[in-house]
PDB file of all heavy atoms in Angstrom:
ATOM      1  N   PHE L 562       4.725   9.311  26.518  1.00  0.00           N
ATOM      2  CA  PHE L 562       3.741   9.302  27.599  1.00  0.00           C
ATOM      3  C   PHE L 562       2.468   8.550  27.251  1.00  0.00           C
ATOM      4  O   PHE L 562       1.578   8.416  28.080  1.00  0.00           O
ATOM      5  CB  PHE L 562       3.398  10.735  28.010  1.00  0.00           C
ATOM      6  CG  PHE L 562       4.579  11.483  28.564  1.00  0.00           C
ATOM      7  CD1 PHE L 562       5.138  12.526  27.857  1.00  0.00           C
ATOM      8  CD2 PHE L 562       5.143  11.123  29.776  1.00  0.00           C
ATOM      9  CE1 PHE L 562       6.236  13.211  28.360  1.00  0.00           C
ATOM     10  CE2 PHE L 562       6.236  11.799  30.286  1.00  0.00           C
ATOM     11  CZ  PHE L 562       6.785  12.848  29.571  1.00  0.00           C
ATOM     12  N   ILE L 599      -1.404   0.603  41.893  1.00  0.00           N
ATOM     13  CA  ILE L 599      -0.217   1.452  41.717  1.00  0.00           C
ATOM     14  C   ILE L 599       0.775   1.223  42.850  1.00  0.00           C
ATOM     15  O   ILE L 599       1.981   1.049  42.607  1.00  0.00           O
ATOM     16  CB  ILE L 599      -0.628   2.936  41.645  1.00  0.00           C
ATOM     17  CG1 ILE L 599      -1.459   3.193  40.387  1.00  0.00           C
ATOM     18  CG2 ILE L 599       0.616   3.828  41.653  1.00  0.00           C
ATOM     19  CD1 ILE L 599      -2.055   4.584  40.325  1.00  0.00           C
ATOM     20  N   THR L 602       2.519  -2.063  42.484  1.00  0.00           N
ATOM     21  CA  THR L 602       3.518  -2.026  41.410  1.00  0.00           C
ATOM     22  C   THR L 602       4.781  -1.318  41.880  1.00  0.00           C
ATOM     23  O   THR L 602       5.898  -1.773  41.616  1.00  0.00           O
ATOM     24  CB  THR L 602       2.938  -1.308  40.173  1.00  0.00           C
ATOM     25  OG1 THR L 602       1.694  -1.913  39.807  1.00  0.00           O
ATOM     26  CG2 THR L 602       3.899  -1.387  38.999  1.00  0.00           C
ATOM     27  N   ILE L 603       4.610  -0.200  42.579  1.00  0.00           N
ATOM     28  CA  ILE L 603       5.766   0.539  43.096  1.00  0.00           C
ATOM     29  C   ILE L 603       6.543  -0.310  44.099  1.00  0.00           C
ATOM     30  O   ILE L 603       7.776  -0.345  44.087  1.00  0.00           O
ATOM     31  CB  ILE L 603       5.310   1.866  43.739  1.00  0.00           C
ATOM     32  CG1 ILE L 603       4.823   2.830  42.653  1.00  0.00           C
ATOM     33  CG2 ILE L 603       6.433   2.503  44.557  1.00  0.00           C
ATOM     34  CD1 ILE L 603       4.202   4.110  43.177  1.00  0.00           C
ATOM     35  N   ALA L 604       5.815  -1.019  44.957  1.00  0.00           N
ATOM     36  CA  ALA L 604       6.477  -1.879  45.941  1.00  0.00           C
ATOM     37  C   ALA L 604       7.213  -3.026  45.262  1.00  0.00           C
ATOM     38  O   ALA L 604       8.331  -3.378  45.635  1.00  0.00           O
ATOM     39  CB  ALA L 604       5.444  -2.418  46.925  1.00  0.00           C
ATOM     40  N   ASN L 607      10.265  -1.525  43.478  1.00  0.00           N
ATOM     41  CA  ASN L 607      11.027  -0.553  44.258  1.00  0.00           C
ATOM     42  C   ASN L 607      11.101   0.798  43.548  1.00  0.00           C
ATOM     43  O   ASN L 607      12.170   1.374  43.357  1.00  0.00           O
ATOM     44  CB  ASN L 607      12.439  -1.082  44.551  1.00  0.00           C
ATOM     45  CG  ASN L 607      12.397  -2.310  45.419  1.00  0.00           C
ATOM     46  OD1 ASN L 607      11.837  -2.297  46.504  1.00  0.00           O
ATOM     47  ND2 ASN L 607      12.961  -3.396  44.925  1.00  0.00           N
ATOM     48  N   GLY L 608       9.945   1.276  43.169  1.00  0.00           N
ATOM     49  CA  GLY L 608       9.839   2.479  42.348  1.00  0.00           C
ATOM     50  C   GLY L 608       9.466   2.043  40.949  1.00  0.00           C
ATOM     51  O   GLY L 608      10.157   1.209  40.347  1.00  0.00           O
ATOM     52  N   ALA L 609       8.354   2.561  40.406  1.00  0.00           N
ATOM     53  CA  ALA L 609       7.851   2.044  39.133  1.00  0.00           C
ATOM     54  C   ALA L 609       7.746   3.136  38.081  1.00  0.00           C
ATOM     55  O   ALA L 609       7.402   4.285  38.375  1.00  0.00           O
ATOM     56  CB  ALA L 609       6.471   1.402  39.335  1.00  0.00           C
ATOM     57  N   THR L 610       8.063   2.775  36.832  1.00  0.00           N
ATOM     58  CA  THR L 610       7.901   3.692  35.707  1.00  0.00           C
ATOM     59  C   THR L 610       6.420   3.788  35.349  1.00  0.00           C
ATOM     60  O   THR L 610       5.609   2.935  35.747  1.00  0.00           O
ATOM     61  CB  THR L 610       8.671   3.195  34.480  1.00  0.00           C
ATOM     62  OG1 THR L 610       8.095   1.955  34.039  1.00  0.00           O
ATOM     63  CG2 THR L 610      10.147   2.989  34.808  1.00  0.00           C
ATOM     64  N   ILE L 611       6.076   4.794  34.567  1.00  0.00           N
ATOM     65  CA  ILE L 611       4.684   4.916  34.137  1.00  0.00           C
ATOM     66  C   ILE L 611       4.283   3.718  33.287  1.00  0.00           C
ATOM     67  O   ILE L 611       3.140   3.254  33.325  1.00  0.00           O
ATOM     68  CB  ILE L 611       4.433   6.247  33.387  1.00  0.00           C
ATOM     69  CG1 ILE L 611       2.924   6.467  33.188  1.00  0.00           C
ATOM     70  CG2 ILE L 611       5.193   6.277  32.070  1.00  0.00           C
ATOM     71  CD1 ILE L 611       2.564   7.854  32.726  1.00  0.00           C
ATOM     72  N   ASP L 612       5.233   3.166  32.517  1.00  0.00           N
ATOM     73  CA  ASP L 612       4.959   1.955  31.730  1.00  0.00           C
ATOM     74  C   ASP L 612       4.524   0.805  32.633  1.00  0.00           C
ATOM     75  O   ASP L 612       3.525   0.128  32.378  1.00  0.00           O
ATOM     76  CB  ASP L 612       6.211   1.516  30.961  1.00  0.00           C
ATOM     77  CG  ASP L 612       6.293   2.168  29.592  1.00  0.00           C
ATOM     78  OD1 ASP L 612       5.438   3.034  29.317  1.00  0.00           O
ATOM     79  OD2 ASP L 612       7.193   1.822  28.826  1.00  0.00           O
ATOM     80  N   ILE L 614       3.382   0.904  35.677  1.00  0.00           N
ATOM     81  CA  ILE L 614       2.124   1.192  36.368  1.00  0.00           C
ATOM     82  C   ILE L 614       0.937   0.966  35.450  1.00  0.00           C
ATOM     83  O   ILE L 614      -0.034   0.293  35.807  1.00  0.00           O
ATOM     84  CB  ILE L 614       2.141   2.640  36.908  1.00  0.00           C
ATOM     85  CG1 ILE L 614       3.117   2.744  38.095  1.00  0.00           C
ATOM     86  CG2 ILE L 614       0.744   3.079  37.328  1.00  0.00           C
ATOM     87  CD1 ILE L 614       3.427   4.160  38.502  1.00  0.00           C
ATOM     88  N   ILE L 638      -3.516   8.699  33.431  1.00  0.00           N
ATOM     89  CA  ILE L 638      -3.233   8.440  34.841  1.00  0.00           C
ATOM     90  C   ILE L 638      -2.213   9.413  35.416  1.00  0.00           C
ATOM     91  O   ILE L 638      -2.035   9.500  36.634  1.00  0.00           O
ATOM     92  CB  ILE L 638      -2.732   6.980  35.012  1.00  0.00           C
ATOM     93  CG1 ILE L 638      -2.822   6.533  36.477  1.00  0.00           C
ATOM     94  CG2 ILE L 638      -1.307   6.828  34.480  1.00  0.00           C
ATOM     95  CD1 ILE L 638      -4.220   6.402  37.002  1.00  0.00           C
ATOM     96  N   ARG L 639      -1.545  10.193  34.565  1.00  0.00           N
ATOM     97  CA  ARG L 639      -0.440  11.035  35.050  1.00  0.00           C
ATOM     98  C   ARG L 639      -0.849  12.068  36.104  1.00  0.00           C
ATOM     99  O   ARG L 639      -0.141  12.229  37.107  1.00  0.00           O
ATOM    100  CB  ARG L 639       0.260  11.712  33.866  1.00  0.00           C
ATOM    101  CG  ARG L 639       1.175  10.778  33.079  1.00  0.00           C
ATOM    102  CD  ARG L 639       1.645  11.426  31.811  1.00  0.00           C
ATOM    103  NE  ARG L 639       0.543  11.633  30.881  1.00  0.00           N
ATOM    104  CZ  ARG L 639       0.612  12.423  29.812  1.00  0.00           C
ATOM    105  NH1 ARG L 639       1.705  13.093  29.564  1.00  0.00           N
ATOM    106  NH2 ARG L 639      -0.421  12.536  29.004  1.00  0.00           N
ATOM    107  N   PRO L 640      -1.969  12.797  35.932  1.00  0.00           N
ATOM    108  CA  PRO L 640      -2.349  13.751  36.991  1.00  0.00           C
ATOM    109  C   PRO L 640      -2.553  13.080  38.344  1.00  0.00           C
ATOM    110  O   PRO L 640      -2.160  13.626  39.382  1.00  0.00           O
ATOM    111  CB  PRO L 640      -3.664  14.343  36.460  1.00  0.00           C
ATOM    112  CG  PRO L 640      -3.582  14.199  34.983  1.00  0.00           C
ATOM    113  CD  PRO L 640      -2.864  12.905  34.763  1.00  0.00           C
ATOM    114  N   PHE L 641      -3.143  11.873  38.343  1.00  0.00           N
ATOM    115  CA  PHE L 641      -3.350  11.150  39.593  1.00  0.00           C
ATOM    116  C   PHE L 641      -2.012  10.771  40.222  1.00  0.00           C
ATOM    117  O   PHE L 641      -1.828  10.885  41.444  1.00  0.00           O
ATOM    118  CB  PHE L 641      -4.180   9.886  39.319  1.00  0.00           C
ATOM    119  CG  PHE L 641      -4.494   9.079  40.550  1.00  0.00           C
ATOM    120  CD1 PHE L 641      -5.541   9.428  41.392  1.00  0.00           C
ATOM    121  CD2 PHE L 641      -3.740   7.960  40.877  1.00  0.00           C
ATOM    122  CE1 PHE L 641      -5.829   8.685  42.528  1.00  0.00           C
ATOM    123  CE2 PHE L 641      -4.007   7.209  42.006  1.00  0.00           C
ATOM    124  CZ  PHE L 641      -5.065   7.573  42.832  1.00  0.00           C
ATOM    125  N   LEU L 642      -1.062  10.350  39.420  1.00  0.00           N
ATOM    126  CA  LEU L 642       0.262   9.985  39.929  1.00  0.00           C
ATOM    127  C   LEU L 642       0.968  11.199  40.519  1.00  0.00           C
ATOM    128  O   LEU L 642       1.590  11.121  41.579  1.00  0.00           O
ATOM    129  CB  LEU L 642       1.105   9.375  38.806  1.00  0.00           C
ATOM    130  CG  LEU L 642       0.661   8.010  38.281  1.00  0.00           C
ATOM    131  CD1 LEU L 642       1.476   7.616  37.052  1.00  0.00           C
ATOM    132  CD2 LEU L 642       0.804   6.938  39.359  1.00  0.00           C
ATOM    133  N   GLN L 643       0.876  12.316  39.829  1.00  0.00           N
ATOM    134  CA  GLN L 643       1.555  13.529  40.291  1.00  0.00           C
ATOM    135  C   GLN L 643       0.984  14.027  41.619  1.00  0.00           C
ATOM    136  O   GLN L 643       1.713  14.566  42.451  1.00  0.00           O
ATOM    137  CB  GLN L 643       1.443  14.614  39.219  1.00  0.00           C
ATOM    138  CG  GLN L 643       2.266  14.304  37.983  1.00  0.00           C
ATOM    139  CD  GLN L 643       1.855  15.125  36.762  1.00  0.00           C
ATOM    140  OE1 GLN L 643       1.000  16.005  36.858  1.00  0.00           O
ATOM    141  NE2 GLN L 643       2.464  14.842  35.627  1.00  0.00           N
ATOM    142  N   GLN L 644      -0.310  13.827  41.828  1.00  0.00           N
ATOM    143  CA  GLN L 644      -0.957  14.304  43.052  1.00  0.00           C
ATOM    144  C   GLN L 644      -0.711  13.395  44.250  1.00  0.00           C
ATOM    145  O   GLN L 644      -0.710  13.856  45.390  1.00  0.00           O
ATOM    146  CB  GLN L 644      -2.467  14.407  42.816  1.00  0.00           C
ATOM    147  CG  GLN L 644      -2.874  15.517  41.863  1.00  0.00           C
ATOM    148  CD  GLN L 644      -4.337  15.430  41.479  1.00  0.00           C
ATOM    149  OE1 GLN L 644      -5.105  14.691  42.091  1.00  0.00           O
ATOM    150  NE2 GLN L 644      -4.733  16.161  40.440  1.00  0.00           N
ATOM    151  N   PHE L 646       1.828  10.643  44.492  1.00  0.00           N
ATOM    152  CA  PHE L 646       3.072   9.894  44.648  1.00  0.00           C
ATOM    153  C   PHE L 646       4.285  10.793  44.461  1.00  0.00           C
ATOM    154  O   PHE L 646       4.208  11.866  43.868  1.00  0.00           O
ATOM    155  CB  PHE L 646       3.120   8.735  43.640  1.00  0.00           C
ATOM    156  CG  PHE L 646       2.039   7.717  43.870  1.00  0.00           C
ATOM    157  CD1 PHE L 646       0.810   7.827  43.240  1.00  0.00           C
ATOM    158  CD2 PHE L 646       2.235   6.669  44.756  1.00  0.00           C
ATOM    159  CE1 PHE L 646      -0.202   6.913  43.471  1.00  0.00           C
ATOM    160  CE2 PHE L 646       1.237   5.741  44.994  1.00  0.00           C
ATOM    161  CZ  PHE L 646       0.006   5.868  44.359  1.00  0.00           C
ATOM    162  N   GLY L 647       5.413  10.311  44.983  1.00  0.00           N
ATOM    163  CA  GLY L 647       6.664  11.003  44.759  1.00  0.00           C
ATOM    164  C   GLY L 647       7.251  10.608  43.419  1.00  0.00           C
ATOM    165  O   GLY L 647       6.793   9.657  42.778  1.00  0.00           O
ATOM    166  N   TYR L 648       8.281  11.348  42.985  1.00  0.00           N
ATOM    167  CA  TYR L 648       8.908  11.038  41.696  1.00  0.00           C
ATOM    168  C   TYR L 648      10.417  11.181  41.805  1.00  0.00           C
ATOM    169  O   TYR L 648      10.932  12.211  42.261  1.00  0.00           O
ATOM    170  CB  TYR L 648       8.390  11.972  40.601  1.00  0.00           C
ATOM    171  CG  TYR L 648       8.800  11.531  39.214  1.00  0.00           C
ATOM    172  CD1 TYR L 648       8.225  10.410  38.632  1.00  0.00           C
ATOM    173  CD2 TYR L 648       9.785  12.224  38.506  1.00  0.00           C
ATOM    174  CE1 TYR L 648       8.601   9.991  37.372  1.00  0.00           C
ATOM    175  CE2 TYR L 648      10.169  11.816  37.240  1.00  0.00           C
ATOM    176  CZ  TYR L 648       9.574  10.700  36.674  1.00  0.00           C
ATOM    177  OH  TYR L 648       9.951  10.284  35.420  1.00  0.00           O
ATOM    178  N   ASP L 649      11.114  10.133  41.431  1.00  0.00           N
ATOM    179  CA  ASP L 649      12.572  10.118  41.435  1.00  0.00           C
ATOM    180  C   ASP L 649      13.034  10.493  40.024  1.00  0.00           C
ATOM    181  O   ASP L 649      12.927   9.699  39.097  1.00  0.00           O
ATOM    182  CB  ASP L 649      13.066   8.716  41.815  1.00  0.00           C
ATOM    183  CG  ASP L 649      14.581   8.612  41.812  1.00  0.00           C
ATOM    184  OD1 ASP L 649      15.237   9.528  41.296  1.00  0.00           O
ATOM    185  OD2 ASP L 649      15.098   7.598  42.311  1.00  0.00           O
ATOM    186  N   ARG L 652      15.912   8.244  38.353  1.00  0.00           N
ATOM    187  CA  ARG L 652      15.557   6.918  37.830  1.00  0.00           C
ATOM    188  C   ARG L 652      14.273   6.932  37.020  1.00  0.00           C
ATOM    189  O   ARG L 652      13.873   5.923  36.444  1.00  0.00           O
ATOM    190  CB  ARG L 652      15.401   5.918  38.983  1.00  0.00           C
ATOM    191  CG  ARG L 652      16.688   5.661  39.741  1.00  0.00           C
ATOM    192  CD  ARG L 652      16.537   4.472  40.662  1.00  0.00           C
ATOM    193  NE  ARG L 652      15.481   4.659  41.631  1.00  0.00           N
ATOM    194  CZ  ARG L 652      14.579   3.730  41.954  1.00  0.00           C
ATOM    195  NH1 ARG L 652      14.587   2.562  41.355  1.00  0.00           N
ATOM    196  NH2 ARG L 652      13.667   3.963  42.881  1.00  0.00           N
ATOM    197  N   ASN L 653      13.592   8.101  36.950  1.00  0.00           N
ATOM    198  CA  ASN L 653      12.323   8.221  36.225  1.00  0.00           C
ATOM    199  C   ASN L 653      11.285   7.218  36.724  1.00  0.00           C
ATOM    200  O   ASN L 653      10.632   6.531  35.934  1.00  0.00           O
ATOM    201  CB  ASN L 653      12.542   8.050  34.717  1.00  0.00           C
ATOM    202  CG  ASN L 653      13.363   9.183  34.125  1.00  0.00           C
ATOM    203  OD1 ASN L 653      13.195  10.337  34.509  1.00  0.00           O
ATOM    204  ND2 ASN L 653      14.250   8.853  33.214  1.00  0.00           N
ATOM    205  N   VAL L 654      11.143   7.146  38.052  1.00  0.00           N
ATOM    206  CA  VAL L 654      10.169   6.225  38.634  1.00  0.00           C
ATOM    207  C   VAL L 654       9.328   6.958  39.680  1.00  0.00           C
ATOM    208  O   VAL L 654       9.780   7.921  40.303  1.00  0.00           O
ATOM    209  CB  VAL L 654      10.841   4.994  39.290  1.00  0.00           C
ATOM    210  CG1 VAL L 654      11.555   4.147  38.252  1.00  0.00           C
ATOM    211  CG2 VAL L 654      11.792   5.413  40.406  1.00  0.00           C
ATOM    212  N   TYR L 655       8.104   6.479  39.850  1.00  0.00           N
ATOM    213  CA  TYR L 655       7.225   6.987  40.908  1.00  0.00           C
ATOM    214  C   TYR L 655       7.494   6.201  42.186  1.00  0.00           C
ATOM    215  O   TYR L 655       7.823   5.008  42.139  1.00  0.00           O
ATOM    216  CB  TYR L 655       5.761   6.864  40.490  1.00  0.00           C
ATOM    217  CG  TYR L 655       5.379   7.854  39.420  1.00  0.00           C
ATOM    218  CD1 TYR L 655       5.436   7.510  38.072  1.00  0.00           C
ATOM    219  CD2 TYR L 655       4.985   9.147  39.753  1.00  0.00           C
ATOM    220  CE1 TYR L 655       5.102   8.433  37.083  1.00  0.00           C
ATOM    221  CE2 TYR L 655       4.645  10.071  38.776  1.00  0.00           C
ATOM    222  CZ  TYR L 655       4.708   9.709  37.444  1.00  0.00           C
ATOM    223  OH  TYR L 655       4.387  10.614  36.471  1.00  0.00           O
ATOM    224  N   THR L 656       7.364   6.894  43.328  1.00  0.00           N
ATOM    225  CA  THR L 656       7.700   6.296  44.622  1.00  0.00           C
ATOM    226  C   THR L 656       6.585   6.548  45.630  1.00  0.00           C
ATOM    227  O   THR L 656       5.703   7.381  45.409  1.00  0.00           O
ATOM    228  CB  THR L 656       9.011   6.903  45.164  1.00  0.00           C
ATOM    229  OG1 THR L 656       8.835   8.322  45.317  1.00  0.00           O
ATOM    230  CG2 THR L 656      10.179   6.638  44.219  1.00  0.00           C
ATOM    231  N   ILE L 657       6.650   5.847  46.761  1.00  0.00           N
ATOM    232  CA  ILE L 657       5.732   6.077  47.877  1.00  0.00           C
ATOM    233  C   ILE L 657       6.344   7.131  48.792  1.00  0.00           C
ATOM    234  O   ILE L 657       7.428   6.913  49.341  1.00  0.00           O
ATOM    235  CB  ILE L 657       5.502   4.781  48.691  1.00  0.00           C
ATOM    236  CG1 ILE L 657       5.038   3.643  47.787  1.00  0.00           C
ATOM    237  CG2 ILE L 657       4.511   5.029  49.822  1.00  0.00           C
ATOM    238  CD1 ILE L 657       3.671   3.821  47.202  1.00  0.00           C
ATOM    239  N   TYR L 675      10.064  -3.028  50.531  1.00  0.00           N
ATOM    240  CA  TYR L 675      10.190  -1.725  49.875  1.00  0.00           C
ATOM    241  C   TYR L 675      10.887  -0.719  50.784  1.00  0.00           C
ATOM    242  O   TYR L 675      11.847  -0.047  50.384  1.00  0.00           O
ATOM    243  CB  TYR L 675       8.802  -1.213  49.476  1.00  0.00           C
ATOM    244  CG  TYR L 675       8.827   0.145  48.827  1.00  0.00           C
ATOM    245  CD1 TYR L 675       9.144   0.284  47.477  1.00  0.00           C
ATOM    246  CD2 TYR L 675       8.551   1.295  49.563  1.00  0.00           C
ATOM    247  CE1 TYR L 675       9.176   1.525  46.874  1.00  0.00           C
ATOM    248  CE2 TYR L 675       8.585   2.546  48.967  1.00  0.00           C
ATOM    249  CZ  TYR L 675       8.893   2.657  47.619  1.00  0.00           C
ATOM    250  OH  TYR L 675       8.931   3.888  47.027  1.00  0.00           O
ATOM    251  N   ALA L 738      14.967   7.930  45.721  1.00  0.00           N
ATOM    252  CA  ALA L 738      14.696   9.327  46.085  1.00  0.00           C
ATOM    253  C   ALA L 738      13.299   9.362  46.659  1.00  0.00           C
ATOM    254  O   ALA L 738      12.328   9.268  45.942  1.00  0.00           O
ATOM    255  CB  ALA L 738      14.795  10.235  44.866  1.00  0.00           C
TER     256      ALA L 738
END
Side-chain angles (χ1 to χ4, degrees):
F562 297 111
I599 294 173
T602 307
I603 290 173
N607 296 304
T610 65
I611 191 168
D612 271 6
I614 289 168
I638 197 67
R639 284 170 293 166
F641 182 81
L642 292 173
Q643 290 163 5
Q644 291 170 13
F646 296 91
Y648 191 72
D649 179 347
R652 295 192 301 136
N653 294 321
V654 295
Y655 288 93
T656 60
I657 306 292
Y675 178 81

